[in-house]
Structures are given as C-alpha cells and as structure tokens.
Amino acid sequence: GQQVMQIPQYQHVQEGEDFTTYCNSSTTLSNIQWYKQRPGGHPVFLIQLVKSGEVKKQKRLTFQFGEAKKNSSLHITATQTTDVGTYFCAGTKRSQGNLIFGKGTKLSVKP
Amino acid sequence: KAGVTQTPRYLIKTRGQQVTLSCSPISGHRSVSWYQQTPGQGLQFLFEYFSETQRNKGNFPGRFSGRQFSNSRSEMNVSTLELGDSALYLCASSLGWAQETQYFGPGTRLLVL
C-alpha cells in the first residue's frame, strides 16, 4: 500500500495566493524528491532533499525536509497560472530502494 | 541528449489480450523504472531494471513482467489484460540508482475494453 502520504489531494487557489502541500512517511526517509506534472504531461523533477532540516528555494518555491526526515513540504508563494499541475513527493526508505510516490496534490489556480 | 521515449503512445486492447510496451532511456542511463498511473492510486511502482536484471519490484501480480536489454532499453508486458489495467504507464530512467532523479518519458496510455 501507499507508504508516503500527501495532503491535500486537491487545492484550488486564487492567483496570487500561497499554496502548500505536505508529505508524510511513517518511517525515516533517506531522501525526498519533488516532481511536477502538468495536465496531460509527465512528471518532471523539481528538487531533491537529503539532509535533516534541509530547506531549498527555487524562485517562489520553498522545499523543506523535516528534522526527523519523515516529512516534507512544498510551499509556493504568490501562485501563478503557470503553477497549475499535480505536485508529487517521492521518498526512498533505503539506499538501494526504489522511489515511493505520494498520491500527489492537484493545484488549480483561478486567474 | 534525447529524452526518454516510449512506444506506443496510445493503445486500445480488449480483456484477455496481452500487451508489450517499450521504453528507451536517456543515453548513458542504466536504470529503468516502470510506473502505473491511475487517477485513484497515483503513481505506483512496478519494477526497476539495472544491467538487464530486475533490482526492485513493486506489489503487482505476476501478469506484469519486464525485461531490459544490453543497450538499457526496456520492455514491460502485461498478460491477460483486465479492465483495471487501463492506465498511463510511465517509464523513467536514471543514471544508476532508482532513488536518483527520475527522468520520465511521455507514457503509454492503455485502454482495456
């Protein structure tokens, strides 16, 4: 079954509002990755976090990895219509394991 | 470099038939992973191949199988298709390990009637 939980499943925001999606695992992750899938497209890698408490920024996107390496978040400041899509987190539980994807958060942005 | 390519892009089959999907990874990438994507279940890991060997396997029935060739190209096969197998099948490649950055192909959309 799904071992990486992601919430919310859907988020509708007005353009300019902020958006956050959360990812939680019951066990420690060795790393976490975030992907974005535009409607009709395929997942595209955004970033990888490896260290406990790590915070990385990409323009309006801020990614955090929890101190216990069991949770992560993606925050978008002042959303734009180009942010529309589904955001997935994916974690690895062991050094040679496969990525386990969350079910994703589908973001829609109203202009 | 060319991206990950998958063929065919679309496929319609009937229950009981079998299907083979193909994936060509990015040049130099040796790990190929397969995922099934459905609206209800998200991205579910099928299996990963490295150097022609299955290295990791997800929780799917034996009807789902795969292989990898010496040039890293991979195929997956689904036998005795069921209606529930309708999904987008995504292939992703990475340099050496499945937990590294995954570069996804455009997917094969399979419809089982």
Side-chain angles (χ1 to χ4, degrees), chain A residues 70-91:
Chain A
K70 290 184 177 182
N71 56 71
S72 181
S73 65
L74 157 59
H75 179 83
I76 301 178
T77 303
T79 55
Q80 300 174 359
T81 54
T82 53
D83 295 326
V84 163
T86 301
Y87 293 85
F88 292 95
C89 64

Side-chain angles (χ1 to χ4, degrees), chain A residues 23-25 27 29 32 64-73:
Chain A
C23 190
N24 294 286
S25 170
T27 58
L29 300 170
I32 195 142
Q64 294 188 333
F65 200 9
E67 293 290 341
K69 300 183 75 173
K70 290 184 177 182
N71 56 71
S72 181
S73 65

